[in-house]
Amino acid sequence: MLAKIDKLSIRGIRSFDNAQPEVIQFFTPLTLIVGYNGSGKTVCYDKSNACIIQVDKPWQTIIESLKYATTGEMPPNAKQSGAFIHDPKLCGEKEVLAQVKLQFRDPGGAKVVVTRNVSLTVQKTKRSMKTLDGSMLRQANGERTVLSIRNAELDRFIPQYLGVSKAVLENVIFCHQDESLWPMSEPAVLKKKFDEIFEALKYTKAIDAIKKMKKDYTDELKRLQLTELHCKDNKSKADKVSKESSGLSDDIERLRLDVENLDGLTKEAKEKHQDAWDRSSKFKVVIDSLNSFRDKQQWLRNRTESLAGELKIRPESDASLQNELDRYDERMRLREDEKQKQTNKYDQLRRVMESTRERLQGKHAEAGRYEEKQASHDQNVESRKDIIRESAVRHNIRGYDAGLDDSQINEYMRKISKLYRDQTDKVEQAHRETEKEVQKVQTVLSKLGERKSGLQEQKSSTKQQLSSNDRGMDSFQSEFDSIDIDEGAEALLKSKVQDIEDNLKQAKEKFKMSSWDAKIDDAKLQLGKAEDQSKQTKLELARSTKQSNDLIRLDLLKNNLSDRKRSLETLKGAHNDRIRKIIGDGWSLASLERDFQTELDRRSTALKVARDRQNTSSRDLNQVEGEIDSYKGQLQKAEKELHECAQIITKVTQGSPDTYQANLDGIQRDRDILKADVDDFAITRKLCTRSIKVAEGKGICDHCKRKFHDEPERSDFLKRMQKKLEENTQKDMEKELKGLEDDLVNWRSIGPKHSSWLQLSGTNIPRLWSEIRRLDESKAVLVKQSEDRDREVADRVESSRDAESLSKPVANIVRFQSEISELTEQVKNLSAEQNDAGIGRPIDEVQEQIDNLSAEARAKTNLILKLTGDKQQALSDIGAKEVALSRAREDLGTATHKLEKKTRLFKQIEELRKFNHENRDTIRRLDDEMQQLIPQVSEQNAKLDDIKNRGYRKEQELNQEATKLSESLQKLSTVGQHIQAFKDSGGPLRLSRCQREIEQLVQTVEKTDAEQKQLIKEINALGEELRNHQDTRRSIVDNLTYRQSQRELEDVEKEISRLSAEEAESDMERLKQKQRYWENQYHKHSTEKSGKLATMKEKDDRLQKLLQDWQTDYANAAHEYKEAHIKVETTKAAVEDLGRYGKALEQAIMRYHSLKMEEINRIAEELWKRTYQGTDIDRILIRSDNEAETAKETAKENRSYKYRVCMVKQDAEMDMRGRCSAGQRVLASIIIRLALAECFGVKCGLIALDEPTTNLDSDNIRSLAESLHDIIRARQQQSNFQLIVITHDEEFLRYMQCADFCDTYFRVSRTDRQKSRIEQQSITEVVG
């Protein structure tokens, strides 16, 4: 038995209700599912607003449910969003539980029921879909088994129970409509699909596993061979180690005996050497003591002689010298303390002296400063009076020529301050008046500019509209040119419809008049006559065949000639006016093509010339605009630099740039005057000082050499001189001079900026404005010229476009005229031939007679069948003519619609052309108005420049006078500040106080100096006493040391005499010789013994290592070698067996693949030839190219295939992908799926076709239906063959003649609650 499906239950899937399941039963051999577009929906998920959008057809849900039940795979793009499940919002619930239940029978005949459950929960911000555990019920041989099972296990079990792989279920049997064209996919996708269907991965893994196992065993064999070689080497080494160990044992025993003999000799030499050493050690102690005393004797002699040479011998005893030495240190400490005390007192007086002298020096400097300030003050008073007199003359202020007191000075300051304020007000008033006049002119310029901008904006808007109209015209013209239907083609289509209607009417009348039943009866009566007349009729048929063909051809040529004339007249009537407008009134068909091409070339040449002029004007305009932009950039940069220079000058001078030079000259004069005063100050100070000394000493004036009349006069003179010295301090004058010089440096540093300001404001900026105005005038002329060129180009383009739009109609007129000439000639020739040959019976009549005679000659049953077939053929011809009429009418409607659209486009083009003419007139008017504004703008600019120049000159004159007043006021203010500052600081009082302090400090210095001299005398006396006491102490110590050294020398000489008497040195030499002999003997025997021991140890170590190696590596060497040899031989045999098995399996897979591909291509070719009605493709096939051969790999590599669907036409093979129409792709995909189902569905004769008529034309739909009818008829005896057809094309079902295989079908529709439902209905409702 084979597997088949029985029933499907759907609940809560897509648009199916979640409360009540819908059930559909599947029959053999055919199950039909029908529905209408829009009758239901399938869902997809929209993440933007978390809702379900209804977009698909409910009958597709059945395919999706079957696929989900058998494979566990949801439709494309539905798994993540939950779109496969009924939307909870549609049923007003937060959670929907969906269920798909499928009942089928496995190849063993057991009934299996599979249930899959899923849920969709709606939350606040998201949706969550959950796949629940399913169940499987299996009933076989009366035993019922129910399992609750996970979906992953269901995905594995169900394909096994159905007897096909999951890939076949997904891609062949239950293929979704969105994926039904996978045979036409790109190579990578196609390879993946076929590899899954062929289960190539499983076999590839098996081959890879075998190859991996072989590789592993090969690697293991190499390792075992190395191990065998190693074991063999170890066995050889074991024999060698055994032999070497025996030799080493004998050598070690011989060396052991030699070492025992040398050990006795070494021991004897050591004992005798030790005896000599012990005896010589006693003499060595005596000799060492004697040498030590001799060294000490020599040291004591040298010390005594050294002390005796410089020593002054004192007669006192040792005790009295020691007592004097002890008291001497105490007395010296007291003298040192007294000297240190006097030294500290001297340092204190020295610091006081230094401090007092520093203060005295500071007071002298302070007194000098006060004297300089007094002299500066007197000079400032006189200088202020000079400045007042000079400025009064300069500014025409009367009454200040004679002596001046403080009241007159204050009055003059008020007057000059008022004059400065009045002058400043005049400057500001002049500036305001100039600004007011400038503002009036700028207001007029602004209005003119606004007027010009408005005109320019209106012009730009009009240009944009003109450009938009041009683009619209180009678009409409392109669309107009793309419509390939003209009035001639419409006339041909109308003629074709009329011809088909006439043929259809004739066919129906012929069918009605044929009287097929009467012919059948008459055929029975005329059977005898037909046999006699058959030979004569066949001879007549041979003669008439040629004449009949010529008649048919003549009729055809006449019809074509009539169609061409009709089309030509239609085209001439439609385009005659436009042709006359372009070529002229006297155009003819003979010269139309030449005249039209000449006119088209002329207009193209004129357009090219106009465009060249347009490009020249555009280049000139772009050049002028570039120069304007350049000058404007320079102007902007110059104005920015002018502003920066003015800012820097104002920041430094606190004034405008106009007054810079006058202020700089004033500072220069003040600096020169003050510098001269500083240079003369030294002479003035010297004269004042000498005058004071002379007045105080002699009582006369040093200047006039006269005596003072009385003491008050002298005192007053001294006070004035002292005051002058105090006020005119050089330090204040130098400080003021430094300030003026710093100001002068700062002002001079901005000199280049002032020069730049003058250059920019006076020359550069006015020149740039002049150039910009000149270029603007040139630009206006060039813009007008460029616009004229643009209008000329637009006119030429429009003219050329009008001519080009007639290219296709003119070509059609010329073509029709040429065809009419050819057809007329052919009709004339054939008519002449027919007239010569004469007219016989029509060939149809002769053929009909032959058919009748042949029918009478056959058996009655065959005659009846023949006539019945003719009847059916006539009915089919009528049906075909009806279909052709319907298509012809559709083509005529399409052509009429296109012609209407073409007329509408032509009208739109004409309207846009009219608008463009109006827009160009508007642009010309705007240009004229803008040209009228140019003289007015130039006049106002000239007026503005004149106002600015006059205002600038007036402000400059007033500023110069204000600058002079400012300079005079600044000088008087500066001198007045110095005078008042001296008065406020109280200068004379500070000078007298400072002199008193100087006298006090001089007295302090003299007193301190006397005290320092006295202390120096006392410190020197104490130092002399300390130096004498040091020599006395040294003499005492040297006498005591000399006496002690003499006593020690006598004791050492006595000990040397005693030790010399023992004669230890001669005995010591003899014992040393004996000791050296036995020591040499000991070393000789020890060295020889060490050599023997080293050799013996080396051999012993070697022996131990050999024994250890034997135990570790070589004890089992023979056994290991035997075992390794056995493993090598067995592994080698396994590798050879795996190689043969892998090769055999690979060849079997390749053979299986080639047989399957041959079977698939055979079925596909058969179905294609039976189904496809076109003539451009003879057959289709699937090419599987070996990738290993493509890549030039060796045959040892895995076999991998590339797949491609090909089509064959006249033995030429090419890829279908990218070369076939949509209908051909659909048909090829269906046929390939049918072939795959035939080959791989041996145990499951099931296939579902979802919308198989998509993109197919009526002929292919009909042939597909007939092919499916034949397939069903051929396989309906197979108990498990099931074809599921899902479609909305009821015409396709009628072509299939479904009533032959089923009595009912299932219709999928929607209830009033918008829920999908499945209803079983009679097949007669569809096929009639």
Side-chain angles (χ1 to χ4, degrees), residues 416-446:
I416 197 170
S417 296
K418 185 176 183 303
L419 284 174
Y420 176 70
R421 288 194 299 273
D422 293 342
Q423 189 66 25
T424 304
D425 292 339
K426 290 180 181 179
V427 173
E428 293 178 355
Q429 180 65 27
H431 182 71
R432 285 195 297 272
E433 291 175 356
T434 303
E435 288 295 327
K436 188 175 181 180
E437 293 180 6
V438 169
Q439 188 174 4
K440 289 181 181 179
V441 177
Q442 285 180 343
T443 302
V444 176
L445 283 173
S446 298

Coordinates of all heavy atoms in Angstrom, one line a residue, residues 416-446:
I416 N 38.6 126.9 27.1 CA 39.0 126.0 26.0 C 38.2 124.6 26.1 O 38.0 124.0 25.0 CB 40.5 125.7 26.2 CG1 41.1 125.1 24.9 CG2 40.8 124.8 27.4 CD1 42.6 125.0 24.8
S417 N 37.8 124.2 27.3 CA 37.0 123.0 27.4 C 35.6 123.2 26.7 O 35.1 122.3 25.9 CB 36.7 122.7 28.8 OG 37.9 122.3 29.5
K418 N 35.0 124.4 26.9 CA 33.8 124.7 26.2 C 34.0 124.8 24.7 O 33.1 124.3 23.9 CB 33.2 126.1 26.7 CG 31.8 126.4 26.1 CD 31.3 127.7 26.8 CE 29.9 128.0 26.3 NZ 29.8 128.0 24.8
L419 N 35.1 125.4 24.2 CA 35.3 125.4 22.8 C 35.4 124.0 22.2 O 34.9 123.7 21.1 CB 36.6 126.2 22.5 CG 36.5 127.7 22.6 CD1 37.9 128.3 22.4 CD2 35.6 128.3 21.5
Y420 N 36.1 123.1 22.9 CA 36.3 121.7 22.5 C 34.9 121.0 22.4 O 34.6 120.3 21.4 CB 37.2 120.9 23.4 CG 37.3 119.5 23.1 CD1 38.0 119.1 21.9 CD2 36.8 118.5 23.8 CE1 38.2 117.8 21.6 CE2 36.9 117.1 23.5 CZ 37.6 116.8 22.4 OH 37.7 115.5 22.0
R421 N 34.1 121.2 23.4 CA 32.7 120.5 23.4 C 31.9 121.1 22.2 O 31.2 120.3 21.5 CB 32.0 120.8 24.7 CG 32.6 120.0 25.9 CD 31.6 120.0 27.0 NE 31.4 121.3 27.6 CZ 32.2 122.0 28.5 NH1 33.2 121.3 29.0 NH2 31.9 123.2 28.9
D422 N 32.0 122.4 22.0 CA 31.2 123.0 20.9 C 31.7 122.4 19.6 O 30.9 122.1 18.7 CB 31.3 124.5 20.9 CG 30.7 125.1 22.1 OD1 29.8 124.4 22.8 OD2 31.0 126.3 22.5
Q423 N 33.0 122.3 19.4 CA 33.5 121.8 18.1 C 33.1 120.4 17.9 O 32.8 119.9 16.8 CB 35.1 122.0 18.1 CG 35.7 121.6 16.8 CD 35.3 122.7 15.7 OE1 35.0 123.8 16.0 NE2 35.3 122.3 14.5
T424 N 33.1 119.5 19.0 CA 32.7 118.1 18.9 C 31.2 118.0 18.5 O 30.9 117.2 17.7 CB 32.9 117.4 20.2 OG1 34.3 117.6 20.6 CG2 32.6 116.0 20.1
D425 N 30.4 119.0 19.1 CA 29.0 119.0 18.7 C 28.8 119.3 17.2 O 28.0 118.7 16.5 CB 28.2 120.0 19.5 CG 28.2 119.5 21.0 OD1 28.3 118.3 21.2 OD2 27.9 120.4 21.9
K426 N 29.7 120.2 16.7 CA 29.6 120.5 15.3 C 29.9 119.3 14.4 O 29.3 119.1 13.4 CB 30.5 121.7 15.0 CG 30.1 123.0 15.5 CD 31.1 124.1 15.2 CE 30.7 125.5 15.8 NZ 31.7 126.5 15.5
V427 N 31.0 118.6 14.8 CA 31.3 117.4 14.1 C 30.2 116.4 14.0 O 29.8 115.8 13.0 CB 32.6 116.8 14.7 CG1 32.9 115.4 14.0 CG2 33.8 117.7 14.5
E428 N 29.6 116.1 15.2 CA 28.5 115.2 15.2 C 27.3 115.7 14.4 O 26.6 114.9 13.7 CB 28.1 114.9 16.7 CG 29.1 114.2 17.5 CD 28.7 114.1 19.0 OE1 27.6 114.6 19.3 OE2 29.5 113.4 19.7
Q429 N 27.0 117.0 14.5 CA 25.9 117.6 13.7 C 26.1 117.4 12.2 O 25.2 117.0 11.4 CB 25.7 119.1 14.0 CG 24.6 119.7 13.3 CD 23.2 119.2 13.6 OE1 23.1 118.7 14.8 NE2 22.3 119.3 12.7
A430 N 27.4 117.6 11.7 CA 27.7 117.4 10.3 C 27.5 116.0 9.9 O 27.0 115.7 8.8 CB 29.1 117.9 10.0
H431 N 28.0 115.1 10.8 CA 27.9 113.6 10.5 C 26.4 113.2 10.4 O 26.0 112.5 9.5 CB 28.5 112.8 11.6 CG 28.5 111.3 11.4 ND1 29.2 110.7 10.4 CD2 27.8 110.4 12.0 CE1 29.0 109.4 10.5 NE2 28.1 109.2 11.4
R432 N 25.5 113.7 11.3 CA 24.1 113.4 11.3 C 23.5 113.9 10.0 O 22.6 113.2 9.4 CB 23.4 114.0 12.5 CG 23.7 113.2 13.8 CD 22.7 113.5 14.9 NE 22.8 115.0 15.3 CZ 23.6 115.4 16.2 NH1 24.4 114.6 16.9 NH2 23.7 116.7 16.5
E433 N 23.8 115.1 9.6 CA 23.2 115.7 8.4 C 23.6 114.8 7.2 O 22.8 114.6 6.3 CB 23.7 117.1 8.2 CG 23.1 118.1 9.3 CD 23.7 119.5 9.1 OE1 24.6 119.7 8.3 OE2 23.2 120.4 9.9
T434 N 24.9 114.4 7.1 CA 25.3 113.6 6.0 C 24.6 112.3 6.0 O 24.1 111.8 4.9 CB 26.8 113.4 6.1 OG1 27.5 114.6 6.1 CG2 27.3 112.5 4.9
E435 N 24.5 111.6 7.2 CA 23.8 110.3 7.3 C 22.3 110.5 6.9 O 21.7 109.6 6.2 CB 23.8 109.8 8.7 CG 25.2 109.3 9.1 CD 25.6 108.1 8.3 OE1 24.7 107.3 8.0 OE2 26.8 107.9 8.0
K436 N 21.7 111.6 7.2 CA 20.3 111.8 6.8 C 20.1 111.9 5.3 O 19.2 111.3 4.8 CB 19.8 113.1 7.5 CG 18.3 113.3 7.4 CD 17.9 114.6 8.1 CE 16.3 114.8 8.0 NZ 15.9 116.0 8.8
E437 N 21.0 112.7 4.7 CA 20.9 112.8 3.2 C 21.2 111.4 2.6 O 20.6 111.0 1.6 CB 21.9 113.8 2.7 CG 21.6 115.2 3.1 CD 22.6 116.2 2.6 OE1 23.5 115.8 1.8 OE2 22.5 117.4 3.0
V438 N 22.2 110.7 3.1 CA 22.5 109.3 2.6 C 21.3 108.4 2.7 O 21.0 107.6 1.8 CB 23.8 108.8 3.3 CG1 24.0 107.3 2.9 CG2 25.0 109.5 2.9
Q439 N 20.7 108.5 3.9 CA 19.5 107.6 4.1 C 18.4 107.9 3.1 O 17.7 106.9 2.7 CB 19.0 107.8 5.5 CG 18.0 106.8 6.0 CD 17.6 106.9 7.4 OE1 18.1 107.8 8.1 NE2 16.8 106.0 7.9
K440 N 18.2 109.2 2.8 CA 17.1 109.5 1.8 C 17.4 108.8 0.5 O 16.6 108.2 -0.2 CB 17.0 111.0 1.7 CG 16.4 111.7 2.9 CD 16.3 113.2 2.6 CE 15.7 113.9 3.8 NZ 15.7 115.4 3.6
V441 N 18.7 109.0 0.0 CA 19.1 108.4 -1.3 C 19.0 106.9 -1.2 O 18.6 106.2 -2.2 CB 20.5 108.9 -1.7 CG1 20.9 108.3 -3.0 CG2 20.5 110.4 -1.8
Q442 N 19.5 106.3 -0.1 CA 19.4 104.8 0.0 C 18.0 104.3 0.0 O 17.7 103.2 -0.5 CB 20.2 104.4 1.3 CG 21.7 104.5 1.2 CD 22.4 104.1 2.4 OE1 21.8 104.0 3.5 NE2 23.7 103.8 2.3
T443 N 17.1 105.1 0.6 CA 15.7 104.7 0.5 C 15.2 104.6 -0.9 O 14.5 103.6 -1.3 CB 14.8 105.7 1.3 OG1 15.3 105.8 2.7 CG2 13.4 105.3 1.3
V444 N 15.5 105.6 -1.7 CA 15.2 105.6 -3.1 C 15.8 104.4 -3.8 O 15.2 103.7 -4.6 CB 15.6 106.9 -3.8 CG1 15.3 106.8 -5.3 CG2 14.9 108.1 -3.2
L445 N 17.1 104.1 -3.5 CA 17.8 103.0 -4.1 C 17.1 101.7 -3.7 O 17.1 100.7 -4.5 CB 19.3 103.0 -3.7 CG 20.2 104.0 -4.5 CD1 21.5 104.0 -3.9 CD2 20.3 103.6 -6.0
S446 N 16.7 101.6 -2.4 CA 16.1 100.4 -1.9 C 14.8 100.1 -2.7 O 14.5 99.0 -3.0 CB 15.8 100.5 -0.4 OG 17.0 100.6 0.3

